[in-house]
Every structure is written in structure tokens, then in C-alpha cells.
Amino acid sequence: MDALAHHIQEEVPWCKLFADDIVLIDEARCGVKEMLEVWRWTLESKGFKLSRTKIKYVECKFSGGSGEAGMDVRLASKIIPKKRSFKFLGSVIHGDGEIDEDVTYRIGVRWMKWRLASGVLCDKKSPSKLKGKFYRAVVTPAMLYGTECWPVKNFHIKKMKVV
């Protein structure tokens, strides 16, 4: 993949690649359109294709400036649908920079891991010390994955502590 992408990779974080997921970031839609076209051309010249049904974009307005009104993001002739958020590497990226959706998702993941581990954690034969280590090694990391880069607010912290 490095040989395929070395000449189209930008400086981090403007272009992120993981497995078959590509995240293109630019300050303007026209920049994203140009990068998308470069990726499409490069991949197709090597025999790969971008999925025209799975591709989406999120417009982030962190500075509060006005967007580019009336400008669509297109791949060839297909208009790319605009979304409010997307999931990348287990985190929910929201267009307005808020993390409420990601906090809720991480809490749900924690409860899912708790349910999966309840056989060990609720077993009366297992020592309490082992249960504590198991909880800290399996359940807690599932909830805290990706949180080190969150712009947290006090109510997010309270919500996570309650869980």
C-alpha cells in the first residue's frame, strides 16, 4: 500500500489511510474534490476502485465561517452524500466537533463488553482480585479507547464516571 499511496499522501492529518478506509481532510470542498479525484485516478490506474456506494463526506465547521454554498462534492458524475458524522477507527467524528455521540457510543461498547464478560465477572468461584484485573484489562479499555484525544467537558466526565 505504501508504494501505491506514497505520492498522494499529504502531511498528517490531512490524509489518513487505514486498511480500506481513506479520510481526506481539507479546509475547502474544492480541495477535497481534488484529492478525491487524485485518489480515484491513482487507485483505478493500479486496478483498484473507490466504492461509489460507500463513500460519504462530513463538513466540519469548527471556525464558524461560512461554507461554500451550492457546491457539491462529486466523484465522476455521482454526488457524494453529506453526513453529520462518520466512524473511523472506532471513533465517531462529528462535523461540529462535539463528542456527545462518541461518548454515548463508548458507553454502549463498555456495556457490551460487560455483558460478554459477565460469565467471568459474576462467577462466584472466581476470586475478586482476578475479577478486578479482568475488568481493568477487558471492559475499561473498551470504553476508554480513543478518549485521550477528546475535547471533554465536565458533563462528559461525569457521564463516564457514572458508568
Side-chain angles (χ1 to χ4, degrees):
M1 191 51 90
D2 288 340
L4 174 67
H6 79 279
H7 69 285
I8 54 177
Q9 282 285 358
E10 298 284 327
E11 295 212 6
V12 174
W14 301 110
C15 186
K16 297 180 181 191
L17 175 66
F18 183 80
D20 65 344
D21 290 335
I22 302 168
V23 176
L24 304 175
I25 303 170
D26 200 282
E27 294 173 356
R29 278 187 226 165
C30 59
V32 172
K33 288 169 67 171
E34 289 171 13
M35 286 191 289
L36 185 59
E37 216 29 64
V38 169
W39 273 93
R40 184 195 61 78
W41 182 86
T42 303
L43 290 171
E44 287 180 359
S45 71
K46 305 290 183 187
F48 296 98
K49 287 186 179 182
L50 285 176
S51 172
R52 284 164 168 75
T53 58
K54 291 168 53 177
I55 194 166
K56 297 162 189 64
Y57 83 97
V58 174
E59 182 176 8
C60 299
K61 294 185 180 183
F62 302 128
S63 63
S66 61
E68 299 160 75
M71 182 179 227
D72 291 326
V73 175
R74 295 176 178 262
L75 180 61
S77 62
K78 184 184 182 308
I79 295 177
I80 306 300
K82 182 177 176 181
K83 297 290 186 177
R84 290 182 45 235
S85 62
F86 71 97
K87 191 185 289 188
F88 183 68
L89 299 179
S91 292
V92 179
I93 312 298
H94 210 275
D96 61 5
E98 290 297 325
I99 62 167
D100 298 343
E101 194 174 330
D102 207 14
V103 170
T104 303
Y105 175 73
R106 286 279 128 215
I107 289 170
V109 167
R110 184 254 181 223
W111 282 114
M112 183 180 64
K113 288 296 181 189
W114 170 263
R115 280 187 218 101
L116 290 171
S118 64
V120 173
L121 296 172
C122 298
D123 186 4
K124 293 181 181 185
K125 297 176 187 174
S126 297
S128 295
K129 193 172 183 174
L130 176 64
K131 290 178 186 180
K133 285 182 179 181
F134 188 81
Y135 181 84
R136 286 188 299 278
V138 175
V139 179
T140 302
M143 182 173 72
L144 297 178
Y145 176 79
T147 60
E148 63 273 359
C149 60
W150 280 356
V152 293
K153 297 176 183 167
N154 285 333
F155 73 90
H156 295 130
I157 294 169
K158 288 178 185 173
K159 198 172 183 179
M160 297 289 277
K161 282 184 177 182
V162 166
V163 173

